Amino acid sequence: MKINLFNFLKNNSTSYKNNYRKCSKIFKDLLINKENFFFNTLSAKYQKTLFSKKKILKRKLHKNILVIGMGGSVLGSRMFSSFFGLDKNYYFLDNLNNSVINDFIKKDLSKFSIFIISKSGKTLETLTNCNIILNNLRKRKKNISKNFIVISERNNILSNFARKNNLIFFEHNTNLSGRYSVLSEAGLLMFNLDYKKIIQGINSVLKKGLNQNLIRNAATLLTLMTKFKINTHVSLIYSHNLLSYGYWHQQLLAESIGKKGKDFTPIISECPKDHHSIMQLYLDGRKNKFFTFFKTINNKLDKPIKDYFDQKFKKNSLNNIIDSQFNATINVFKKNLIPFRVVLIDQKKPIQSFISLIVYSMLETAILCKALNLNPFNQPAVEEIKKETYSLLS
């Protein structure tokens, strides 16, 4: 993974220097204190243990995988499925949608491995979707013990259901926030990814040059947020397989920083499609936004497109056209002095590069939260809606 920052911020300014020192200390303290189990998932020991679990589970998995969960319990696995091009065999239920669930119950779900993921074990939407799936399987008199894998904390509704019905169960650590659980059982168990490459991706952020890049980026963002009133982060995504990453990162930022009247509102833009809709606002609207360009590089060469319209382009393939739009937008942003950075994901080393991006994103978010005196790992406001919903249903 490569990150280049073009922010037009003077790195010798007093505010930036102070923020750099602050972010550097926070980064070191986070790795030492490990106040959330997320930091344990970054260790080689943990990833080796997780790999042994995946090895055992692999023999029992069906070709088709259905993941039922909400928020961080499903966004991580959806992100991996999309990035690695596995959408043909991976399906996700992460909302209450009649038409989607009705399509699922028409399938022969006895040929699916169904992951039910809920840290608390009582997520209303997850249990509702599970009830519908279970009801369908019961009607067909199917043995559910061969299909379901439950990931949850112990001693709750979901774990008790797993025990009573002899379902495969994996424990979700109580001190692991859902949006930071992507490198745990909740995000990785259903994929056959090389754990050595996962460890390499993690270490590229923790132990190599990217850790200094991480601190510089965090210090820059903190300076832009506190001194220049930047309060919006826009992800400009030019590679379709990174779009699900964008939605995972959106939750990560929103739930971590959106507290106590502070925010760094995350917006996802799929490009170049959004060149023809919201780009006008980005270029000529309020200057309260920071932009990150996301793109994969070293992709497989695609074939030239036959030109029926006499456009007379020197190179006319899909990748070349997207590259031109990507670079043109960067040039325009530079001319207009709009703060941005570029993140490039190397397709020659897809696992290492993508894992680096994920770890980088979580650490950057945690550093920013700590610098703003926020808890990166909780989401107290949304609990109120859950309580109100249950009171209306009771």
Side-chain angles (χ1 to χ4, degrees):
M1 180 184 73
K2 297 179 182 178
I3 295 185
N4 298 317
L5 186 63
F6 305 92
N7 55 44
F8 311 103
L9 181 70
K10 292 182 179 179
N11 289 347
N12 61 354
S13 69
T14 302
S15 57
Y16 173 81
K17 286 181 178 179
N18 290 338
N19 284 330
Y20 180 86
R21 284 191 290 269
K22 187 176 186 178
C23 290
S24 182
K25 184 179 184 305
I26 289 170
F27 176 60
K28 291 174 184 175
D29 290 345
L30 283 168
L31 295 182
I32 293 170
N33 296 330
K34 296 183 178 179
E35 66 180 88
N36 190 274
F37 192 78
F38 150 64
F39 295 97
N40 294 65
T41 69
L42 303 182
S43 71
K45 181 181 178 182
Y46 180 90
Q47 289 301 325
K48 287 177 183 177
T49 303
L50 183 57
F51 176 73
S52 65
K53 293 178 183 179
K54 287 194 286 184
K55 245 178 132 178
I56 296 168
L57 185 60
K58 183 183 175 183
R59 295 193 292 267
K60 300 179 181 181
L61 290 181
H62 293 76
K63 183 179 179 180
N64 293 315
I65 305 290
L66 170 61
V67 183
I68 304 175
M70 293 297 297
S73 293
V74 71
L75 284 171
S77 53
R78 183 190 280 274
M79 170 173 63
F80 283 125
S81 171
S82 178
F83 181 77
F84 293 109
L86 303 172
D87 290 344
K88 185 178 178 181
N89 298 110
Y90 282 75
Y91 303 83
F92 301 88
L93 280 177
D94 58 352
N95 203 352
L96 295 181
N97 185 311
N98 276 324
S99 61
V100 172
I101 194 71
N102 285 333
D103 284 343
F104 268 108
I105 60 178
K106 292 175 185 176
K107 301 178 187 293
D108 183 359
L109 292 174
S110 65
K111 295 180 180 178
F112 279 71
S113 287
I114 303 171
F115 284 80
I116 310 171
I117 307 175
S118 169
K119 180 186 174 184
S120 68
K122 60 181 182 181
T123 308
L124 176 61
E125 299 88 346
T126 301
L127 295 182
T128 300
N129 281 327
C130 284
N131 279 329
I132 296 170
I133 295 293
L134 286 165
N135 192 45
N136 177 261
L137 286 169
R138 296 287 195 194
K139 282 182 179 179
R140 298 184 184 187
K141 298 181 179 179
K142 300 293 184 180
N143 180 6
I144 66 171
S145 65
K146 295 180 180 179
N147 299 92
F148 284 85
I149 300 100
V150 172
I151 302 174
S152 184
E153 295 175 346
R154 292 192 180 276
N155 302 317
N156 59 34
I157 295 170
L158 199 50
S159 64
N160 291 338
F161 177 82
R163 187 182 66 255
K164 288 177 183 177
N165 291 276
N166 197 30
L167 307 183
I168 297 172
F169 175 81
F170 293 97
E171 184 176 3
H172 192 303
N173 188 280
T174 57
N175 190 32
L176 178 60
S177 308
R179 59 190 176 276
Y180 290 89
S181 68
V182 62
L183 297 181
S184 74
E185 286 81 355
L188 287 175
L189 267 182
M190 59 288 294
F191 299 101
N192 184 29
L193 300 178
D194 187 338
Y195 82 96
K196 292 180 181 178
K197 292 179 180 178
I198 290 173
I199 293 169
Q200 287 171 7
I202 293 170
N203 287 341
S204 71
V205 180
L206 295 182
K207 298 181 179 180
K208 295 184 180 179
L210 273 177
N211 55 24
Q212 288 303 311
N213 183 293
L214 169 67
I215 295 166
R216 286 195 296 270
N217 266 266
T220 298
L221 290 176
L222 182 61
T223 307
L224 289 169
M225 293 169 72
T226 55
K227 187 173 182 180
F228 296 94
K229 307 305 178 187
I230 297 290
N231 60 13
T232 303
H233 177 273
V234 182
S235 295
L236 300 172
I237 299 176
Y238 283 81
S239 298
H240 184 74
N241 65 346
L242 290 173
L243 191 58
S244 289
Y245 158 82
Y247 288 111
W248 169 80
H249 187 235
Q250 183 180 57
Q251 186 212 6
L252 180 69
L253 282 181
E255 281 196 347
S256 299
I257 299 181
K259 297 161 191 163
K260 299 180 180 179
K262 299 174 184 177
D263 66 275
F264 195 30
T265 303
I267 296 174
I268 310 300
S269 262
E270 187 177 6
C271 295
K273 176 175 71 71
D274 280 2
H275 286 197
H276 302 273
S277 57
I278 201 167
M279 187 60 73
Q280 167 64 36
L281 181 148
Y282 295 157
L283 291 171
D284 207 23
R286 287 180 60 201
K287 305 303 179 185
N288 65 330
K289 303 170 191 66
F290 179 83
F291 297 82
T292 304
F293 288 72
F294 292 95
K295 192 176 181 301
T296 57
I297 57 173
N298 294 321
N299 300 300
K300 291 181 180 179
L301 294 175
D302 56 345
K303 295 179 181 179
I305 302 169
K306 188 173 181 179
D307 181 12
Y308 293 94
F309 302 101
D310 196 26
Q311 296 178 96
K312 297 179 180 177
F313 295 142
K314 292 179 181 178
K315 295 180 179 179
N316 194 18
S317 73
L318 195 58
N319 281 343
N320 285 329
I321 291 171
I322 293 172
D323 286 347
S324 296
Q325 292 171 306
F326 177 79
N327 291 321
T329 310
I330 287 173
N331 291 340
V332 172
F333 271 54
K334 284 181 178 178
K335 289 177 185 176
N336 286 277
L337 302 181
I338 298 171
F340 72 96
R341 64 182 171 183
V342 177
V343 177
L344 301 174
I345 304 302
D346 192 347
Q347 288 286 42
K348 286 185 178 178
K349 294 183 177 180
I351 297 177
Q352 299 96 312
S353 195
F354 194 51
I355 294 295
S356 295
L357 173 62
I358 292 166
V359 174
Y360 192 104
S361 301
M362 291 189 285
L363 288 172
E364 181 181 79
T365 302
I367 292 169
L368 284 175
C369 285
K370 289 293 185 180
L372 295 167
N373 296 313
L374 301 172
N375 182 345
F377 307 112
N378 68 352
Q379 57 277 347
V382 295
E383 300 301 324
E384 189 176 347
I385 294 177
K386 294 177 184 178
K387 292 177 183 177
E388 183 68 17
T389 300
Y390 274 106
S391 70
L392 291 172
L393 287 169
S394 299

